[in-house]
């Protein structure tokens, strides 16, 4: 079952916004570094969803 284009854009936008929020809220600790890596992974997932048209 294919995802509708509008749903794909909304999902990609939500992942992008969540990734940016995580990047801005990360503390300057080792746990923050792990959270930053997670934020980057979420951003990449959002970009890949958007590019898979």
């Amino acid at each position: 079952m294919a995802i509708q284009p509008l749903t794909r854009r909304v999902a990609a936008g939500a992942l992008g916004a969540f990734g940016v929020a995580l990047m801005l809220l990360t503390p300057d600790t080792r746990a923050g570094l792990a959270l930053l890596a997670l934020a980057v992974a979420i951003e990449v997932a959002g970009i890949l969803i958007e590019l898979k048209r």
Side-chain angles (χ1 to χ4, degrees):
M1 185 166 132
I3 300 174
Q4 298 295 328
L6 178 63
T7 305
R8 183 174 299 143
R9 282 188 175 249
V10 169
L15 286 174
F18 186 63
V20 168
L22 280 179
M23 285 182 197
L24 293 175
L25 296 173
T26 54
D28 292 335
T29 61
R30 288 182 192 228
L33 184 60
L35 193 61
L36 184 63
L38 177 65
V40 169
I42 290 172
E43 283 282 330
V44 169
I47 291 168
L48 290 176
I49 288 173
E50 179 63 31
L51 290 178
K52 190 181 175 185
R53 286 195 233 171

